[in-house]
Amino acid sequence: MWDRPDGLRMSDETPESTVENTPGQGRTPEPERIEPAAPEEFGLVQVWWGDGKGKTTATLGMGMRAAGHGYRVHMLQFMKGGASSVDAVRGEYNAIAALPGISYENLGHYGWHGMKDGSDEEDHAAQAQAGLERAHELLEAAGEADLGAPIDLDAPPEEGVHMLILDEVLYAADRGLLSKDDVHSLVDAKPDDLELVLSGSHAEPAYLEDRADLVTNVRKVKHPIDDGQRARRGTEF
């Protein structure tokens, strides 16, 4: 074994280039205190769609990762209702409340549009329009903020965020509650340094292909719901 100048220990049989090419150059990651910071390379438009489970889960995980670096993250959820098997209080909301730098707000708490579940269809439409207006407010606030600088982790999203997740906004467009032009208007209003994440929809949002930098299709191969499995605490809510 021999010591490198940076304190790492290496064996004579291990080429230094091997360690240089590993994450952290071979160091075991250690948690650090989360302090306000600013991202160096944010500014892309991401789209997550598909008939598979995991779109919201993936975007939440990315938001948590960004918050762990000290970046300010906010998630605005459109139409996040769900079946009767889903509790009003969800695990992700509890986790977000316990984490610095990430916040959320939810529209459409009850039922799903078009599912004949007793919820009011007109209310779904009104909630989607309210979400569109709120999203534009948040985009405008981000445009007025200095996104190249740290943002207080406890600051309200009206003071700007580095990452804005619009969860299920594509589903709202897919159901005709928002138009494709409405979604285009959100992307076009994005400040240069804001990372904008759009999720939802089982149908391919081809209308966003030219405006998005990243498009991920979350495809279903097999899902227990097809065999009658209902939503489970800790996995679906």
Side-chain angles (χ1 to χ4, degrees):
M1 299 293 292
W2 52 282
D3 292 326
R4 288 173 27 145
D6 57 12
L8 287 178
R9 300 277 292 171
M10 298 181 63
S11 69
D12 292 330
E13 292 78 22
T14 303
E16 185 170 354
S17 61
T18 300
V19 177
E20 291 285 354
N21 291 329
T22 61
Q25 298 182 355
R27 297 181 179 86
T28 300
E30 295 289 342
E32 299 177 353
R33 181 180 176 85
I34 298 175
E35 300 287 353
E40 297 179 358
E41 298 181 294
F42 272 18
L44 302 185
V45 175
Q46 301 189 25
V47 170
W48 294 74
W49 73 281
D51 63 353
K53 165 182 163 57
K55 299 178 287 294
T56 297
T57 305
T59 58
L60 273 171
M62 185 166 51
M64 183 188 73
R65 175 177 288 162
H69 285 292
Y71 309 152
R72 185 68 179 87
V73 179
H74 187 69
M75 178 176 66
L76 173 63
Q77 293 189 304
F78 291 70
M79 307 178 61
K80 205 62 178 181
S84 59
S85 57
V86 178
D87 288 351
V89 178
R90 301 178 184 175
E92 59 264 39
Y93 300 162
N94 294 338
I96 288 173
L99 289 172
I102 181 169
S103 55
Y104 78 94
E105 55 190 290
N106 178 297
L107 295 163
H109 290 274
Y110 304 104
W112 284 98
H113 176 264
M115 295 301 180
K116 298 181 179 179
D117 51 15
S119 57
D120 190 320
E121 298 297 274
E122 292 184 2
D123 184 57
H124 285 302
Q127 292 280 18
Q129 288 299 316
L132 178 66
E133 293 174 11
R134 176 60 173 161
H136 275 290
E137 289 176 1
L138 294 169
L139 288 166
E140 183 177 355
E144 294 174 352
D146 181 2
L147 301 186
I151 298 173
D152 189 279
L153 300 179
D154 295 324
E158 290 81 5
E159 294 185 14
V161 296
H162 297 113
M163 176 184 287
L164 178 61
I165 302 170
L166 301 180
D167 185 44
E168 307 293 8
V169 65
L170 302 181
Y171 183 77
D174 185 33
R175 302 299 302 175
L177 300 177
L178 298 178
S179 70
K180 295 176 182 178
D181 287 341
D182 287 333
V183 181
H184 284 166
S185 73
L186 293 171
V187 176
D188 294 344
K190 184 191 78 67
D192 289 341
D193 294 329
L194 175 73
E195 193 82 4
L196 182 62
V197 183
L198 313 174
S199 72
S201 182
H202 287 190
E204 181 178 5
Y207 59 93
L208 284 173
E209 185 174 333
D210 293 338
R211 282 176 162 84
D213 301 286
L214 179 153
V215 179
T216 298
N217 179 0
V218 181
R219 184 170 64 92
K220 182 181 77 171
V221 175
K222 186 176 182 179
H223 198 304
I225 195 174
D226 296 331
D227 294 325
Q229 173 70 60
R230 305 199 77 187
R232 296 177 297 154
R233 181 188 294 267
T235 57
E236 280 73 53
F237 64 90

